[in-house]
Amino acid sequence: MTEAIRRATFEPVIEVWPGPIEVGVRVAALITDLVAATPHAAIGLPTGSTPGPTYAALRAVAASRAVDFSGLTVFLLDEYVGLAAENPQSYRSTIRREVTNDLGIAADRVFGPAGDASDPEEACQRYEEQIAAAGGIALQLLGIGRNGHIGFNEPGTAFDMRTHVTELSEDTREDNARFFVCLADVPTHALTQGPATILDAGRIVLIATGAAKASAVARAFVGAVSVDCPASVLRTHPDVRVVVDTAAAAALPDSVPRVVHGAEG
Ligand code: GLP
């Protein structure tokens, strides 16, 4: 299905850094800036390998006690269907283990769609209500899938969808199989914030590193805004910052404005 979207588009700020470590340090700085200005903000966090260096940099800041993260509320981007929050492979467990525990954010302030709910649709609705009750998400951090997905919004997802149940593509299941014993263990469905939920965030920071993401980054920010590349919807949001490394920026044409940083920033 091809649905080219005609609505206001904005030029995201694209920052190019030498490698994943510099990207992580930069994105952590964007988050600490937000916390300094609004210590009780709600932020949205993704899982995956890409944010690893960002989370490591945040843990280092927390360990130095330079910033107090404990007032934050965290909303997960997505969750697998069938995994309870306590399951070590659930995204809720992953985010607590990799980020929020070390940042001193209490477990009851880390929200995610309930993967083990008997009524997943109702769980999606409840999640939307929890986000609204927190006053909305001030900063949503995103990775990007090789097929251009954000959260678990696969190509073809309508841009007006809010948190919903989705079937994972085989590519996405294969990409995520490394976090499981085998491919058969990867859940077939997930609950994900929808494009419309993501676009409600005050600011969106998309991170991408490595050559495998270069094509998805180029499709997201060049050419049509289309459901064929879910990340392209970000061009309809007025405050998007794209923080990538040199390898992930490699397929962007020269005509796309960007700010290139050296190792020293
Ligand atoms: C999963 C997550 C996405 C993430 C993507 C890319 O599908 N649902 O939120 O952006 O993987 O993951 P990685 O950063 O490991 O490449």
Side-chain angles (χ1 to χ4, degrees):
M1 177 171 68
T2 300
E3 183 198 339
I5 306 298
R6 283 179 190 80
R7 51 175 141 164
T9 55
F10 303 88
E11 237 173 46
V13 177
I14 301 180
E15 298 182 12
V16 183
W17 294 84
I21 300 299
E22 291 86 357
V23 166
V25 169
R26 170 60 178 155
V27 175
L30 291 173
I31 293 172
T32 53
D33 286 352
L34 172 87
V35 176
T38 47
H40 297 284
I43 62 169
L45 297 181
T47 53
S49 305
T50 310
T54 297
Y55 296 156
L58 286 172
R59 292 195 301 271
V61 174
S64 75
R65 297 182 185 277
V67 177
D68 179 5
F69 295 98
S70 66
L72 290 178
T73 298
V74 169
F75 286 95
L76 265 68
L77 185 57
D78 44 24
E79 182 61 275
Y80 287 116
V81 168
L83 301 190
E86 298 70 36
N87 186 311
Q89 272 151 334
S90 75
Y91 281 173
R92 197 110 55 110
S93 290
T94 304
I95 286 289
R96 285 184 189 154
R97 197 168 53 234
E98 292 188 2
V99 201
T100 57
N101 288 350
D102 288 329
L103 267 51
I105 301 170
D108 63 1
R109 298 265 293 287
V110 180
F111 293 89
D116 60 342
S118 55
D119 182 347
E121 304 292 346
E122 194 270 331
C124 292
Q125 177 60 33
R126 193 154 157 264
Y127 194 53
E128 289 283 336
E129 289 162 8
Q130 288 170 327
I131 294 172
I137 294 172
L139 185 153
Q140 175 68 57
L141 191 62
L142 294 176
I144 185 170
R146 281 188 304 130
N147 62 5
H149 74 238
I150 47 174
F152 273 130
N153 294 288
E154 298 282 24
T157 306
F159 287 161
D160 61 358
M161 289 196 84
R162 305 199 68 87
T163 302
H164 63 281
V165 182
T166 183
E167 182 171 3
L168 303 179
S169 73
E170 274 315 292
D171 282 354
T172 297
R173 290 186 68 240
E174 282 164 21
D175 280 352
N176 287 306
R178 65 190 190 279
F179 298 114
F180 293 82
V181 173
C182 62
L183 179 61
D185 285 357
V186 184
T188 56
H189 290 75
L191 307 173
T192 182
Q193 288 189 34
T197 318
I198 292 169
L199 291 177
D200 275 350
R203 166 176 263 199
I204 296 170
V205 177
L206 180 130
I207 49 179
T209 54
K213 299 295 173 67
S215 155
V217 168
R219 289 179 63 225
F221 300 108
V222 182
V225 171
S226 159
V227 296
D228 291 345
C229 180
S232 68
V233 78
L234 300 178
R235 277 185 272 156
T236 68
H237 189 287
D239 188 354
V240 172
R241 194 166 283 255
V242 181
V243 187
V244 296
D245 69 357
T246 308
L252 285 171
D254 290 345
S255 55
V256 176
R258 74 204 77 179
V259 183
V260 179
H261 296 270
E264 303 305 316

